[in-house]
Amino acid sequence: MADLSCTIAGIPSLNPFWLASAPPTDKKVNVTRAFRAGWGGVVWKTLGIDPPVVNVSSRYGVHHDTNRQALGINNIELISDRPLAVNLQEIRECRAEFPDHVIIGSMMAPIEERAWKELAVRIAEAGVHGLELNLGCPHGMCERGMGSAIGQVPEMVEQVTRWVKQAVGIPVFTKLTPNITNILWSAEAAKRGGADAVSLINTVNSIVSVDLDAMAPTPVVDGKGTHGGYCGSAVKPIALNMVAEIARNPFTADLEISGIGGITTWRDAAEFIALGANGVQVCTAAMLYGFRVVEDMADGLSQWMDEKGLTSLSQLHRMAVPNVVNWNDLNMAYDVKARINPDLCIECGRCYIACEDTSHQAITMTDLGNGRKRLEVIDDECVGCNLCSITCPVPDCITFDRVDAGTESVTWPDHPLNPQRLVAAE
Amino acid sequence: MTHSVPFLPVISADGHPLTAAQIEQNFSDLHPCLTDLQAMAESNRCLYCYDAPCVTACPTSIDIPGFIRRISTGNPDGAARTILSSNILGGTCARVCPTEVLCQQACVRNRAEDAPVEIGRLQRYAVDHLLDNTAAAYPFARAAETGRRVAVVGAGPAGLACAHALAVNGHSVTIFEARPKPGGLNEYGLAAYKMTGDFARREVDFVLAVGGIQIEYGRALGTDLTLDVLRQDYDAVFLGIGLGDTNALGLVGEDKAGVVDAIDFIAGLRQSEDLAGYCSAASVVVIGGGNTAIDAAVQAKRLGAEEVTLVYRRGPQQMGATAYEQDLAATNGVVVRHWAKPVEIKGNGHVEGLVFERTRLDGGRLTETGRRFEISADLVLKAIGQSLAPAALSGLTLKGGKIVVDETGQTTLPGVYAGGDCIASGQDLTVQAVEDGKRAAKAIHAALSASQR
């Protein structure tokens, strides 16, 4: 089986799977169970300056699909509400009990140099492998000038990172908030501040649902609700893009990345690593199913790597980055047409109505008169949009054939129909 | 959802007859209403097909993907309205339709998974939800009174469906029903474990709640009621009279005690207040291969009969009963014997047994083999088909013993329409009877709207 051991920001890890800073990593009892279950590391739930915060009752909301599967959840919980000394003592105990496992200390403080430096030193002294700077929580703490209130200001991201780097000699992960216009601004700021790695994404600001009886956002706290941090598989696409942007941006390409955001399966993890993550952090999947989810994450990733002939994660790392390009670099001569496999088609008509109502009227549905139907693509109308295959309930039933010669490549800047075409000097 | 074997009858634990409580348990719901959780899971299996084959397969063309979608989004009453707008007896059809040869056979989930969406059970979930929701508004508004009067003969599924559709359109309907209760086979036929409680009656009440329909009981065609009078007194007539006669074996001794028609056995059972005292037969023989035969045999077994044997003169492929119903008989402990026909009824006064002769197909023709066997029986249930009671139908053209109608449901007598089991295309299906009633109502409404008063 492929070797899943890896190094993240210089920290060796048994595998790339860490638990993100969140309720699952708040206490020794959780962390002990996590390590025994097979997690390579944890980022301890964010520590702040005493006195500890006080949390509300009713903390999580959910975005369910109609089958009650959680597409994503959000939370309005604050950072660890236990005394700092208790957390640090438990960190020491876990370090001693699990010397091969990684513990990163997540921390948060107001925008004051002394506060960050003193807290960083205290946590570092507990023996953590590294520190993660929580500059992302989009609820509660930001109203007190912390979390995303700092992470949304690149200058502050740089400043805080620099303070902590000055204070401690261990690797520093700057955790980025997605609640910004351009992730590169904060990623570049973290790099300028000296970060060894960035962790992203923190949760997405959200209202996941409205309780239509209480007429309040969920989770409802005595008749009221507030915006909270959205996480789970629904945010994975947002996270993947931000990771890729950092990985392909020349200034930040060498920043190590701890990928976070809806990672639920080994496949999700492989995608993050291929787009530039050195390791991944998971929270929601564990919260929904328990720590055992790591078993298949490790097994499935290893199995897939074997099938691909990959022997180590360093080979997978950044494999897809060169293929992430700007729209203007896409080959506009490339042309694909949908193909519906009649042997696999169950004749549900979903592709037909999706294409007919909302796309290009490129599918015909013929009643064969014996209770059966035939669904076929009209090549002249098909633009290769993929909607049919997206709506098809049968895997691999609808595939795409390339119909251009494959010899020509033309991008929009060079395209004959582009009015702003960069014509070579005449 | 996987197909579960319906619950099996209680077998006596001590060799003594079943107690009243055990028999009652045997006649509880064959397929109880789905729970909210089950409905959520099952509704989410529906692929929401476009031009869905299940709709085509439904004689009443219920928008099945549309109603299942409503269940999945937490709008079960909307689902019920969708169902009832195509099939006012959707509650009964959900319980008794042979979905395995209709909507669920057509479900695209069969193609790759061999596991259709449980459409029937979802339909019941929705309709029951609406009927149980006392706060829900009645889903049909009646058009302004037209002053036109229509006579419907028979308060069975065809007549009720026709009456409801006409009432919605503002016409006044009088239903003439021979029996003391409405519902037809919904009330007097169908296996009791499929129509538990007073559902048949509740459904009729729901139909009548639209207004404009009155029922006169004890009024059978041919006694004080004639087609001629109805045609004179009403603007149109709909006949949903079912099949009043039963076919006979044609054997000597058929009049012995203990030899009865299966439909009478079932009707008595459906109306019985004391199931434990309803039937004391130990050895029951059922003759026939249709769903009525299965219903009778399984119910006899569930009443506690020690031996129930269903004998059919042909093979399983020729049986009118669906494969599901045949399985139901088998899992209920009914012994099914194919390729045999009764030739002699034994007993003095009361039947003691039947002699059968082995049959076989020779060149497509059923022939007798001369080989015989005997089964003892203290109750023989005849389920070899029903036929139209011919009385009082003068003036109507019959074919194959049934009323001939055109594509609108009109008989050869102008202004007289018919539907359900009594017409030539009758399929012995509740859902088809509903569709027949709907079709005739549409034609009657069109005719009344077009004609000057």
Side-chain angles (χ1 to χ4, degrees), chain A residues 98-161:
Chain A
F98 297 93
D100 298 331
H101 290 72
V102 176
I103 299 180
I104 305 293
S106 172
M107 61 176 292
M108 177 187 283
I111 188 79
E112 294 164 16
E113 180 172 2
R114 209 174 124 190
W116 279 96
K117 286 187 168 176
E118 285 184 4
L119 184 59
V121 168
R122 282 196 70 185
I123 299 171
E125 284 172 355
V128 294
H129 293 87
L131 290 172
E132 186 176 85
L133 315 183
N134 181 340
L135 308 181
C137 276
H139 53 272
M141 300 311 289
C142 53
E143 296 174 23
R144 304 174 195 182
M146 292 182 264
S148 62
I150 296 175
Q152 287 170 337
V153 183
E155 293 77 6
M156 289 190 191
V157 172
E158 180 179 342
Q159 183 65 268
V160 166
T161 305

Side-chain angles (χ1 to χ4, degrees), chain A residues 88-99:
Chain A
L88 296 180
Q89 177 56 30
E90 290 188 2
I91 288 174
R92 284 190 187 91
E93 291 168 12
C94 288
R95 281 291 291 123
E97 205 172 319
F98 297 93

Side-chain angles (χ1 to χ4, degrees), chain B residues 154-379:
Chain B
L160 289 169
C162 183
H164 187 267
L166 289 167
V168 165
N169 282 313
H171 307 300
S172 294
V173 181
T174 302
I175 303 180
F176 298 94
E177 168 56 48
R179 303 237 204 187
K181 284 186 182 179
L185 288 176
N186 295 2
E187 177 63 45
Y188 293 99
L190 306 177
Y193 44 75
K194 293 178 184 171
M195 292 288 285
T196 55
D198 59 349
F199 184 76
R201 186 58 196 245
R202 285 182 68 203
E203 189 174 50
V204 171
D205 290 344
F206 179 81
V207 171
L208 300 183
V210 70
I213 304 170
Q214 58 166 327
I215 305 183
E216 295 186 12
Y217 296 104
R219 302 289 305 274
L221 201 60
T223 49
D224 61 333
L225 197 68
T226 66
L227 258 183
D228 285 344
V229 171
L230 289 176
R231 292 181 72 201
Q232 282 167 25
D233 292 354
Y234 291 88
D235 295 302
V237 178
F238 176 78
L239 302 175
I241 54 178
L243 299 172
D245 277 0
T246 51
N247 296 336
L249 297 170
L251 296 177
V252 176
E254 205 164 334
D255 58 347
K256 286 188 202 303
V259 180
V260 301
D261 284 324
I263 60 158
D264 292 336
F265 172 77
I266 293 170
L269 193 158
R270 285 292 305 277
Q271 300 304 312
S272 172
E273 306 261 308
D274 171 28
L275 286 181
Y278 180 64
C279 176
S280 59
S283 299
V284 180
V285 171
V286 182
I287 312 226
N291 285 341
T292 301
I294 303 278
D295 282 352
V298 172
Q299 290 185 107
K301 191 71 190 169
R302 284 176 179 263
L303 284 168
E306 290 161 12
E307 313 289 341
V308 177
T309 310
L310 187 154
V311 187
Y312 178 53
R313 61 187 176 147
R314 294 173 189 264
Q317 283 80 33
Q318 290 90 356
M319 270 195 168
T322 64
Y324 170 81
E325 291 288 331
Q326 294 183 43
D327 286 350
L328 187 67
T331 54
N332 275 270
V334 173
V335 175
V336 180
R337 301 187 69 162
H338 302 102
W339 302 110
K341 59 177 273 195
V343 290
E344 187 183 344
I345 297 172
K346 293 206 155 187
N348 295 314
H350 196 284
V351 63
E352 289 171 9
L354 285 172
V355 178
F356 291 89
E357 181 160 347
R358 288 277 175 201
T359 55
R360 67 183 182 203
L361 275 180
D362 285 317
R365 227 170 51 88
L366 196 69
T367 58
E368 292 158 13
T369 63
R371 293 186 294 120
R372 294 190 169 194
F373 63 91
E374 191 173 331
I375 303 176
S376 62
D378 46 10
L379 176 64

Side-chain angles (χ1 to χ4, degrees), chain A residues 27-321:
Chain A
K27 297 190 296 290
K28 180 184 175 185
V29 59
N30 305 92
V31 170
T32 300
R33 291 177 65 85
F35 286 159
R36 291 202 174 117
W39 294 89
V42 301
V43 183
W44 204 276
K45 183 165 164 97
T46 302
L47 305 171
I49 298 162
D50 283 341
V53 300
V54 178
N55 274 302
V56 294
S57 183
S58 200
R59 300 182 189 178
Y60 308 139
V62 64
H63 180 30
H64 272 143
D65 69 10
T66 57
N67 206 15
R68 221 183 142 68
Q69 292 291 306
L71 302 169
I73 64 176
N74 83 351
N75 82 89
I76 58 169
E77 191 173 284
L78 305 182
I79 61 177
S80 177
D81 52 13
R82 305 190 310 155
L84 180 61
V86 171
N87 278 306
L88 296 180
Q89 177 56 30
E90 290 188 2
I91 288 174
R92 284 190 187 91
E93 291 168 12
C94 288
R95 281 291 291 123
E97 205 172 319
F98 297 93
D100 298 331
H101 290 72
V102 176
I103 299 180
I104 305 293
S106 172
M107 61 176 292
M108 177 187 283
I111 188 79
E112 294 164 16
E113 180 172 2
R114 209 174 124 190
W116 279 96
K117 286 187 168 176
E118 285 184 4
L119 184 59
V121 168
R122 282 196 70 185
I123 299 171
E125 284 172 355
V128 294
H129 293 87
L131 290 172
E132 186 176 85
L133 315 183
N134 181 340
L135 308 181
C137 276
H139 53 272
M141 300 311 289
C142 53
E143 296 174 23
R144 304 174 195 182
M146 292 182 264
S148 62
I150 296 175
Q152 287 170 337
V153 183
E155 293 77 6
M156 289 190 191
V157 172
E158 180 179 342
Q159 183 65 268
V160 166
T161 305
R162 183 169 293 119
W163 286 338
V164 175
K165 279 299 287 183
Q166 288 166 353
V168 298
I170 53 176
V172 170
F173 296 67
T174 300
K175 189 167 180 178
L176 306 181
T177 173
N179 303 303
I180 38 77
T181 49
N182 185 346
I183 196 68
L184 292 180
W185 297 346
S186 38
E188 290 176 355
K191 184 174 177 188
R192 284 194 298 272
D196 298 276
V198 286
S199 304
L200 74 161
I201 57 174
N202 204 310
T203 54
V204 179
N205 214 352
S206 61
I207 289 176
V208 282
S209 66
V210 174
D211 182 324
L212 290 176
D213 297 314
M215 275 298 159
T218 63
V220 181
V221 180
D222 192 20
K224 312 283 184 193
T226 185
H227 58 90
Y230 193 41
C231 55
S233 43
V235 307
K236 178 191 134 187
I238 298 166
L240 279 179
N241 173 55
M242 291 184 167
V243 165
E245 287 300 294
I246 293 169
R248 74 189 187 97
N249 175 43
F251 181 66
T252 50
D254 62 346
L255 257 182
E256 299 238 344
I257 297 173
S258 186
I260 312 170
I263 294 160
T264 308
T265 68
W266 60 266
R267 187 179 291 276
D268 297 334
E271 293 174 16
F272 272 82
I273 294 168
L275 279 183
N278 298 78
V280 296
Q281 295 183 32
V282 175
C283 172
T284 311
M287 290 182 74
L288 292 174
Y289 304 112
F291 291 143
R292 62 203 164 123
V293 290
V294 76
E295 295 165 16
D296 177 59
M297 283 186 184
D299 186 54
L301 181 58
S302 209
Q303 170 75 29
W304 173 81
M305 286 172 67
D306 287 351
E307 288 164 15
K308 289 287 180 186
L310 300 170
T311 55
S312 79
L313 286 176
S314 58
Q315 293 172 319
L316 171 60
H317 182 232
R318 295 181 66 88
M319 268 183 110
V321 174

